[in-house]
Every structure is written in C-alpha cells, then in structure tokens.
Amino acid sequence: VDENDRASTYSPPPEKETEMSTEPRTAPGGDGRGVRVHAQQARAAVPALGRADSTAIDHALQTMANRIERQQRALAAANDADVRAATEAGMQPALLDRLRLDEARLAAMSAQLRSLAEVPRLDAVVDRQEVGGGLWVEERRRPVGVIGANFEARPNVVVDVASQLLKSRNTGVLRTGSAAIGSATALLDHVIAPALVAADLPPDAIQLVRTPGHEAARDLVRHPDVLPLVILRGSGASTRELAELAARHGVRTLAHADGGAVIYVDASADLATALRLVEESVDRFGVCNRLNLLLVAAQRWDEWLPEILATLERLDIAASLPPHDHPLGYEWALDEARERTVTIAPNESAREAALTVNGTTSGLAACIVAEDPPAIDDFLDVCDATGTFVNATPRLLDGFKLFKVPETGINVDRVPGPRGPVTFRDLHLRQFVVRA
Amino acid sequence: VDENDRASTYSPPPEKETEMSTEPRTAPGGDGRGVRVHAQQARAAVPALGRADSTAIDHALQTMANRIERQQRALAAANDADVRAATEAGMQPALLDRLRLDEARLAAMSAQLRSLAEVPRLDAVVDRQEVGGGLWVEERRRPVGVIGANFEARPNVVVDVASQLLKSRNTGVLRTGSAAIGSATALLDHVIAPALVAADLPPDAIQLVRTPGHEAARDLVRHPDVLPLVILRGSGASTRELAELAARHGVRTLAHADGGAVIYVDASADLATALRLVEESVDRFGVCNRLNLLLVAAQRWDEWLPEILATLERLDIAASLPPHDHPLGYEWALDEARERTVTIAPNESAREAALTVNGTTSGLAACIVAEDPPAIDDFLDVCDATGTFVNATPRLLDGFKLFKVPETGINVDRVPGPRGPVTFRDLHLRQFVVRA
C-alpha cells in the first residue's frame, strides 16, 4: 500500500475534466502515439532484456540513481512547469505535494534504486525433478514480456515501476496522471533511457504514454494480445472502472479497487494491546489498509466499549455504532468528509469475525487481537484476507514493510497467482522445460 | 492434455442443437437449479472443507474408489441409458466411446482415486521469514473456495475433477456435456456425495449442474462474485467461446482453446533422434500437444527434407510445404478432414524458431532437437511455450506424465499464476499471515 496512492480518490484532480473528454490522441503535449504502438516498441525489446545478465540490469539501476542526482536541474525544471500548470489549474495542495519532485524525494528515489540493485536476482530455475526414463523437468520463471502500469500524477512512481519491471526483466508501458507528464517525460529522457543505453540495454524497454487524458488509461487495458497484464496502482473509483474495463477486454490486472482493514478484538484479547493496535492502525486515514471496521467480542462489548470509544475520541475519530445506517464494510477512506470514522460492531466469536471479513469487506487485510490460541486458529482457518494479522497492525500490509523490496501493488483477486502485496519477484510466467 | 478432450471438437456432438437453444432452466431432465444456487450451496461447504484434515479427505477419496466398485450396477444402468439416448440421437462412435463407463474405465477411476489419496498434502505454510521487531510473516496456501469446471460428455471426468477439488480443499460446481448428465448424476448420488458423508464432510461440497443444454455452461462463467475461477477442460471453439465470455464477465479461467506443438530440428540435430521424436509426436492426431508445425534448419533443408517426408509418408501423414496457403500455426487437430497433416517450414536458427513459436502458435508446447548447447540455450532464451522440450517429445506436456498426479487442465495465460499443466497443487490462493 503506497501511502500516497489514495490521495487522488478523495476529490477529482484537475485533470479529470480533460480525462473525461474525447480529445484526439494528438492532444497538445502528447506525441500522438497510442498504447498499441508503445506496446509493440516495448515488445521488440523483450528478447534483449530477457537475455540481459544481472550485472547489466543492476548497472542500469545504479546509473538511474546517479543520473537522478546529476540531472537534478533538468528534472526540477520539468517538474516546476508541471507544478505551475497544476497550481494554475487549481490542483489541491495534497495532490500538488505528490506531484512535486523536491530534493528529498529525488534522494529517496536514488536510494531506492541503489537498494533494489543490491537485491539478488531470483533463480530462473524454481524446481527440478526426474520424470523417469532419463528425462528431467524444470520449473522455470520467465519474464512476462510487456507489462502495462497506470498510476496517478506522481513522478517518482515512474522510476519506482520502471525499476521493478527492469529488475524482473520485463519491458513496460507506463501511463501517469496527465499533470505529471512533463516530469515523467524528463525522467524517461534524462534518467531511464540513458541508463538503459549505458548498460547496453534497449532504451525502448520502458515506454511512457505521453498523451494526456484518461482515455490513454483506458487504452492501456484494451489490448490483451500485446499487453496481457496491467498493474493498476492506487484504489478507488478510477481503479475499479479500469479493472472492469480490463476484464471485459480479457486483460489481467494486479489491483485493488477497495480496501479497509478489519480488527477483531477477541474475548481473550489483552485490552491494552488491542487499544495500541487500534491507534497504530489509524496513523493515516486515506490509505487502504487503515482500520475501517472494528469488531469486538460480544461478551466483552459492554466492558470494553467505553475504553475503545475513549481512545478513538482522544484520536479525534468518530465511531459508527450499531445500528449502522451503512453497509458494515463501508470504506471511510473513500468518504472524504468522514474519513476520520471507524465502524464498530459486536461479533460472537473469532469464527464469526472471520466470516464478517470474508463477507462484508474487500478481503484486503484483517487482524485478530487474541491471547487464546484456539481463537487465533479459528480466525486463521476462516479468514480469506490477503494479509491476516495476529496481534499486529494491518498497516504492515505493504511489500516494502514485509519484504524490504518495492511494492508493485496489492492484488485482491480470489484466484491462484500473485495475491496480496505484489513485488517484482512475482512478475514472471511459469514454464516447464523437459530435457532428455 | 487429456487424450480424449479434443474429440468433441472435431464435429458437433448431438447435444449441440440442444445447446444452442434457449430452453428454460427447467428443461426435462434438469432440476431447475441455476449455477448461482449451486455455487451458493458449495460456498456453504467451504469452511468445513477448509478445516478438514488429510485423513478425512483421503478417506473420502478411498471411499469413492470403493463405492465405484460396489455401485457398479447402478452406475452401469445410468450410463446405459445415457449411451442409448445418445445412440438414438445419432452420436458419433468416437464420442459414444468417451461417454461409455465400461468396467475398465470404472477400474481406472478407482485406481486413480486410490493413487491420489496416497499423495501427501502440500504444506499450508510455503515460507516463513522474520519481518523484524519480533514479527514473522508466513506465506500460506488457502483453498480458492468454490471452483467451477466445465467438461464434455465424459462421465469419468466428474470423478477426476471432483477428486482434485477435494484434494485441494476446494468445493466445486461441475457441468458436463448434456449427454452424460444421467451418468454424472449417478456418480454424484451413489459415489461422491455418500463418500463425503462417510468422511464427515459436507456432501454439498461437490455440486453438479443437472440442467442440460449449453446455456448452463455459459451460466457457469457469469458469476465472478461466487465463482471467480472456472476450469475449462478440452479445447477448440467451444472452449474459446466460454473463455471469452468468462473474460467479459471478469471470471478467470484455466484453459487452452488452442494447441498445436512445434518441433524445431536444429542444424546440430541428430537426424535419427529428430525422426524418432517426429514419430513419437504424431501417435495421436486429435490431441492439442501433437506435432503440428515442423521447423527445419534452413541449411539442412535440402539434405534432410527427403528423409522427413519419407517418415511422414510411412506414417500416412500429409506434409504442408511452403508456400503455405494457411497461417503457419494453423492447427490441423481442429480440421477433422485433414488432421493427419503436419506443416513444414525452414527456419534460419534456433532463435528464429523460438520466435516462430512465440509469434505464430498458442505457445502451448515446443521442442528443439539439437546437440549444440548454444543452440539449445538460444531456443530456451526466447521460447515462451508453457512446455519447452529439449530432445523430448511435446506429447509429454501432461500433468500426469510429468508430475504423476491427475491434471486439472492446461493453462496458456501469459500472466503470473498457474501456467502449463495445472494440477490440484495449483488450486490455492496466496495469503500472508503476520504474527507478533
């Protein structure tokens, strides 16, 4: 869960009007190239990237880090122009902040690139066993090929996603929110493409859609033959719409349109632990894995509710108590005016709480606070959440926090494959190689 | 690749007319229950199945094996009625054969069930690592929940699929070709449901759609909220249509509509090995992983073509030589009148051959015949086929042949997740559990 991804779901950014228009692909500021052309150019780079050894890939990542430092002036100029235009268009301060590439953010980007370059490559061969008759079968990881990625107007995500694609030997077509196109273009032209060339890799491996407008995002999820997989960062209505459009076209996405973490306080819980976890889970309100629904063991409801309410009051958080005038899983993070709200409800048992998680939420993240091992086992038996937490905050549902590598996104599909926090380590195809 | 799956794609089975009609759900022979009702009943059995220990599951599988033997008379009666009706309706002999549950087939079903019962369960915990601060993260396998499965009028597949779902702790909604509904119902009522009850498992875990007609198959892929994943066995036009319909509704499928194996004979090949592999790869013609396209190193074309043609002629197989009047990947297995055909074309190198595989075929299976390690490496670098074979026949692309467990199907998606031969071991969701 990237902390910032949700921001743009609170209120439409200024680009929204542009996004809804039916402007031609050759809009001012664009280069007129459609997604299909980009995907074909990226595809031409697939074999070279697949062949690249780790030295070349990691050299490209390190060169990107160096160039971010050396090209600071050019990047700042492009970003200043984006920020100026967005300010004039009336962009909200929170979104403007995400658009800005200040020194600290550039330094963080460089540091993350250097750190990713240090991560060892996954073995191409996952498993090897004898078939019999002198034959061996290997399970292998292969790059997917070309992967699409859509994200909001945050220039640093250009480098974040590009680096993860390169680390997994995939090429990509990136599309950013329109307000960041100038900054994204500068990052492509001054950082990413030259770093690829310096590492003797094809600069076409990372493509940026330079045409503003939301229609480009829609175009990203309509070409299953050349872009079978698209990462949709962020959540909310825009992601939901793109995920549905992708599904209709047979394009797979890694995404979560909905979030909202659940904490269940079991009758066996240590109340102090429960109150600490509640507080740790509302350190931010706009993020998908914040506490949204607090379930309390019914037999402790009268005893514990006052202390829970006192804690929420101290944190300036409203409690929505039964009877609720909204669905139990209603996601407050998406309700700008009331995001500082937590729904509270009684549940009879750990099992009932897990069924509540499965039945009324997106299944992103859920936590049980309990000291009683059978209650914990019951919860784990039933709970389907992509991340399930035992006496730990669901705010930990994040690829970087759990695995120390950047996160591609979080996927909530209920099908086999990458689910929960997705990292570059997941961006591969399974292949079996049989050798005589 | 199940040898028999392709049979029904050669010519429309008699049920086809019924399948295309818009008959109501309460058609004669059906029980009027739609897929959604079945999925909800299966869903209610999910928690009990998820909790079941291996003893109970394997006991159910063994009881199924025993009951197939003990209920042979009831099964034969139901099957005789299906076969009689299909014969009267003019079903082709090849399809009639697949519909028939004779003693040998029943014995094979029992043996397979007993063998699957012996296979150890996969560990629920895949990996465990320290997050820091006293926290641990576990990667776990969870059952998917309810899985749909569609297959042609072959009663033994009812037990095959049901046993794989149970072994992976999934519940399921099964739909068979209409001609087999009587036999399938007998297997459900006399074998599967009583075996579940005997093992103290919910009999509702395995549901059978008892309404005839192809509309039921379409209904199976239209409910992403209750049936997010559907296995489509077999290939050809009907699978392609269902896979596309599923995609439009946001339902994931494990399927391959298209097949056709490729063999590339490199300049470094041992010709005798190549000719042997060609012959081994055309032992059947209606299967998806049979030799469809034979690529020959251009520099050996003149030298080797006569011997290759002689081999094919001996096997009574036609060669389609350049210039071709069809796409290079044209699948002869789907062309009933000309299935005994192999396309032959020259390619300059192992790399070019692998690009031909990627660009002109479904990417199901490909083989390189070569003695030269760099040529083999080149081929493996580029070839995306779900199964890639080095001096071994692509006819080995089959879950049972490679892994000694029944095959759920073969999946050709170009996205992360189960790909190539899928077995019960793949039918799980990834979940992360974080414990303090």
Side-chain angles (χ1 to χ4, degrees), chain A residues 151-311:
Chain A
F151 42 89
E152 297 306 311
R154 296 171 52 217
N156 54 314
V157 179
V158 173
V159 169
D160 185 8
V161 170
S163 63
Q164 292 181 60
L165 293 178
L166 291 175
K167 189 78 185 181
S168 53
R169 268 126 190 108
N170 289 293
T171 69
V173 179
L174 278 49
R175 189 262 164 190
T176 176
S178 308
I181 282 191
S183 313
T185 300
L187 284 165
L188 242 289
D189 296 348
H190 296 299
V191 174
I192 298 173
L196 287 166
V197 170
D200 209 16
L201 297 170
D204 270 354
I206 302 296
Q207 299 280 319
L208 175 72
V209 179
R210 300 179 185 207
T211 307
H214 193 65
E215 188 52 31
R218 295 210 183 87
D219 203 21
L220 200 63
V221 297
R222 281 198 286 233
H223 304 282
D225 55 333
V226 289
L227 271 178
L229 180 68
V230 176
I231 298 158
L232 301 177
R233 300 259 295 215
S235 47
S238 153
T239 294
R240 193 176 305 115
E241 185 222 323
L242 287 176
E244 285 168 9
L245 184 64
R248 284 205 298 279
H249 286 275
V251 166
R252 280 285 306 288
T253 53
L254 295 171
H256 68 290
D258 301 294
V262 182
I263 292 181
Y264 166 65
V265 184
D266 187 63
S268 72
D270 171 57
L271 181 61
T273 302
L275 296 176
R276 172 176 61 77
L277 289 172
V278 166
E279 185 162 355
E280 284 178 17
S281 306
V282 286
D283 62 325
R284 302 189 63 147
F285 294 94
V287 292
C288 62
N289 60 2
R290 56 157 276 195
L291 173 59
N292 189 64
L293 172 61
L294 180 62
L295 301 171
V296 179
Q299 60 267 53
R300 301 287 200 164
W301 178 262
D302 293 336
E303 178 188 347
W304 286 349
L305 192 63
E307 288 204 57
I308 289 167
L309 292 177
T311 298

Side-chain angles (χ1 to χ4, degrees), chain A residues 47-387:
Chain A
L49 213 63
R51 269 198 306 275
D53 63 19
S54 296
T55 315
I57 297 287
D58 295 337
H59 178 53
L61 298 180
Q62 269 150 351
T63 306
M64 281 163 65
N66 297 341
R67 291 192 69 92
I68 284 174
E69 289 164 357
R70 288 201 215 114
Q71 301 290 321
Q72 206 150 334
R73 194 165 300 183
L75 300 176
N79 187 242
D80 285 348
D82 276 348
V83 170
R84 231 180 359 256
T87 309
E88 278 163 24
M91 185 185 261
Q92 287 199 334
L95 295 175
L96 273 178
D97 175 58
R98 269 123 215 178
L99 179 58
R100 203 166 278 126
L101 272 183
D102 57 16
E103 249 178 79
R105 207 159 267 161
L106 290 168
M109 288 160 68
S110 291
Q112 184 181 303
L113 285 164
R114 292 198 173 102
S115 150
L116 188 61
E118 297 295 320
V119 175
R121 179 181 189 177
L122 287 185
D123 289 335
V125 178
V126 178
D127 190 28
R128 186 162 187 270
Q129 48 183 293
E130 201 167 359
V131 179
L135 294 172
W136 288 82
V137 59
E138 290 170 2
E139 181 184 332
R140 290 190 162 209
R141 296 183 174 97
R142 284 192 69 77
V144 175
V146 191
I147 297 179
N150 185 64
F151 42 89
E152 297 306 311
R154 296 171 52 217
N156 54 314
V157 179
V158 173
V159 169
D160 185 8
V161 170
S163 63
Q164 292 181 60
L165 293 178
L166 291 175
K167 189 78 185 181
S168 53
R169 268 126 190 108
N170 289 293
T171 69
V173 179
L174 278 49
R175 189 262 164 190
T176 176
S178 308
I181 282 191
S183 313
T185 300
L187 284 165
L188 242 289
D189 296 348
H190 296 299
V191 174
I192 298 173
L196 287 166
V197 170
D200 209 16
L201 297 170
D204 270 354
I206 302 296
Q207 299 280 319
L208 175 72
V209 179
R210 300 179 185 207
T211 307
H214 193 65
E215 188 52 31
R218 295 210 183 87
D219 203 21
L220 200 63
V221 297
R222 281 198 286 233
H223 304 282
D225 55 333
V226 289
L227 271 178
L229 180 68
V230 176
I231 298 158
L232 301 177
R233 300 259 295 215
S235 47
S238 153
T239 294
R240 193 176 305 115
E241 185 222 323
L242 287 176
E244 285 168 9
L245 184 64
R248 284 205 298 279
H249 286 275
V251 166
R252 280 285 306 288
T253 53
L254 295 171
H256 68 290
D258 301 294
V262 182
I263 292 181
Y264 166 65
V265 184
D266 187 63
S268 72
D270 171 57
L271 181 61
T273 302
L275 296 176
R276 172 176 61 77
L277 289 172
V278 166
E279 185 162 355
E280 284 178 17
S281 306
V282 286
D283 62 325
R284 302 189 63 147
F285 294 94
V287 292
C288 62
N289 60 2
R290 56 157 276 195
L291 173 59
N292 189 64
L293 172 61
L294 180 62
L295 301 171
V296 179
Q299 60 267 53
R300 301 287 200 164
W301 178 262
D302 293 336
E303 178 188 347
W304 286 349
L305 192 63
E307 288 204 57
I308 289 167
L309 292 177
T311 298
L312 292 179
E313 198 178 332
R314 174 169 60 76
L315 300 168
D316 192 22
I317 294 168
S320 168
L321 289 163
H324 304 103
D325 61 355
H326 55 78
L328 211 54
Y330 181 80
E331 197 179 346
W332 299 105
L334 301 178
D335 183 339
E336 198 191 353
R338 298 184 292 173
E339 63 175 20
R340 295 180 80 93
T341 309
V342 168
T343 301
I344 309 185
N347 259 187
E348 291 299 328
S349 65
R351 189 170 295 279
E352 188 189 327
L355 289 170
T356 302
V357 170
N358 295 353
T360 68
T361 81
S362 66
L364 186 83
C367 161
I368 179 171
V369 192
E371 298 296 317
D372 189 10
I376 294 170
D377 288 347
D378 273 1
F379 193 78
L380 292 179
D381 269 357
V382 177
C383 181
D384 270 340
T386 75

Side-chain angles (χ1 to χ4, degrees), chain B residues 259-272:
Chain B
V262 181
I263 292 180
Y264 165 66
V265 184
D266 187 62
S268 73
D270 170 59
L271 180 62

